[in-house]
Amino acid sequence: MASTLLLQSTMGFLRPSTTLSATRVAAAAGLRFSQTRRSMAMISTETQGAAETEEFRVFFKKDGNKISPWHDIPLKADGQTYNFITEIPKFTKAKMEVATKEAMNPISQDMKKGKLRYYHGPIFWNYGLLPQTWEDPNHEHPELKVKGDNDPVDVVEIGSVALTVGSVTPVKPLGVLAMIDDGELDWKIIAIAASDPLANELNDIADVEAKLPGVVSGIREWFRWYKTPDDKPINAFGFGERALAKADALKVIDETHAAWKGFMNGKTDGGKLWKA
């Protein structure tokens, strides 16, 4: 798809020859990320159907053409931040998600047994995904011995602003929880919007624990219990239930980005998942 090629070429990594000076390489990188920001500013959303109905969809568009938020929006916003797509704004209950099996992957309200899904209480953080990532259900984690949940990687954004459904926000990853849901690995990246007033003070998960006590445990307990009103068991967490450090979060992002590439180029079977 043309939009995919445009975005990928914009984010393409340089392979500087030995004749390029460090200054020229840095300048080229700065230009590349400036172009990316301009490209992202051209992305808009378009809704179809009434909210809180089975028909409701949020489509993403660029230059008047529909694009996939999962496949066409680049993973990285710049050298240090990543593009976060909001599915569920903080303090809301409707279970919105990118429809990974629908053409162009619009955001829709999840359904179960013919009924629209809602959380039993509001979520206290912005919730969504990192584009161009995939938790591969064919791959077993070597330590946790569970496979991926077949979705893009989830993000819990802990900033002060309630973001809107379909917004694309540069975020700083700070740590990650290894949630195990019904026998599947479901990573939860903990991040903060780069524009948040606290962003400069939070650089790793230890900073979150020190400056925002209770946030990490709150996230863990919310996701541990949120399915129990539907008579589902509580969710478990790997690695002694610890929130792992930023370095571990970046490793998860890199691994799931590589898995997404394998799905897109046909090396890994994605089943019914949609791709152009």
Side-chain angles (χ1 to χ4, degrees), residues 41-53:
M42 297 169 65
I43 293 177
S44 61
T45 57
E46 176 182 275
T47 60
Q48 294 184 10
E52 300 190 66
T53 68

Side-chain angles (χ1 to χ4, degrees), residues 31-134:
L31 175 61
R32 181 174 72 248
F33 291 126
S34 177
Q35 291 171 335
T36 301
R37 287 192 292 270
R38 289 197 297 271
S39 179
M40 292 303 300
M42 297 169 65
I43 293 177
S44 61
T45 57
E46 176 182 275
T47 60
Q48 294 184 10
E52 300 190 66
T53 68
E54 184 177 348
E55 294 75 27
F56 181 72
R57 297 291 185 276
V58 178
F59 285 96
F60 290 70
K61 302 183 77 173
K62 185 176 184 298
D63 298 328
N65 299 312
K66 288 180 180 177
I67 63 170
S68 163
W70 183 17
H71 302 314
D72 295 333
I73 294 176
L75 171 62
K76 298 199 79 172
D78 59 29
Q80 302 296 323
T81 62
Y82 294 77
N83 284 316
F84 164 61
I85 300 172
T86 299
E87 296 169 302
I88 307 172
K90 66 192 299 184
F91 306 131
T92 65
K93 296 194 297 182
K95 181 69 169 68
M96 311 298 295
E97 62 181 21
V98 164
T100 56
K101 297 178 183 179
E102 287 189 28
M104 306 313 298
N105 307 126
I107 293 177
S108 65
Q109 189 167 353
D110 191 27
M111 297 191 66
K112 188 171 184 180
K113 297 181 179 179
K115 295 183 179 180
L116 295 168
R117 285 188 66 191
Y118 293 88
Y119 292 136
H120 290 273
I123 190 167
F124 303 111
W125 313 273
N126 295 299
Y127 189 57
L129 62 88
L130 292 180
Q132 298 187 349
T133 62
W134 181 48

Side-chain angles (χ1 to χ4, degrees), residues 220-241:
R220 182 171 50 241
E221 295 311 311
W222 196 94
F223 281 100
R224 187 196 306 278
W225 294 94
Y226 82 104
K227 288 186 176 181
T228 57
D230 295 320
D231 295 323
K232 297 287 186 179
I234 61 174
N235 290 320
F237 293 86
F239 301 105
E241 302 198 342

Side-chain angles (χ1 to χ4, degrees), residues 157-229:
E157 193 279 319
I158 62 173
S160 57
V161 175
L163 303 173
T164 59
V165 174
S167 59
V168 182
T169 306
V171 298
K172 293 172 55 177
L174 302 170
V176 63
L177 286 164
M179 190 173 92
I180 300 171
D181 182 355
D182 198 22
E184 296 177 332
L185 182 56
D186 188 4
W187 293 106
K188 305 296 182 189
I189 301 291
I190 299 172
I192 189 166
S195 59
D196 193 88
L198 276 178
N200 289 336
E201 300 181 39
L202 303 179
N203 296 298
D204 212 319
I205 200 66
D207 298 326
V208 181
E209 298 279 23
K211 297 180 182 297
L212 298 172
V215 167
V216 173
S217 61
I219 293 170
R220 182 171 50 241
E221 295 311 311
W222 196 94
F223 281 100
R224 187 196 306 278
W225 294 94
Y226 82 104
K227 288 186 176 181
T228 57

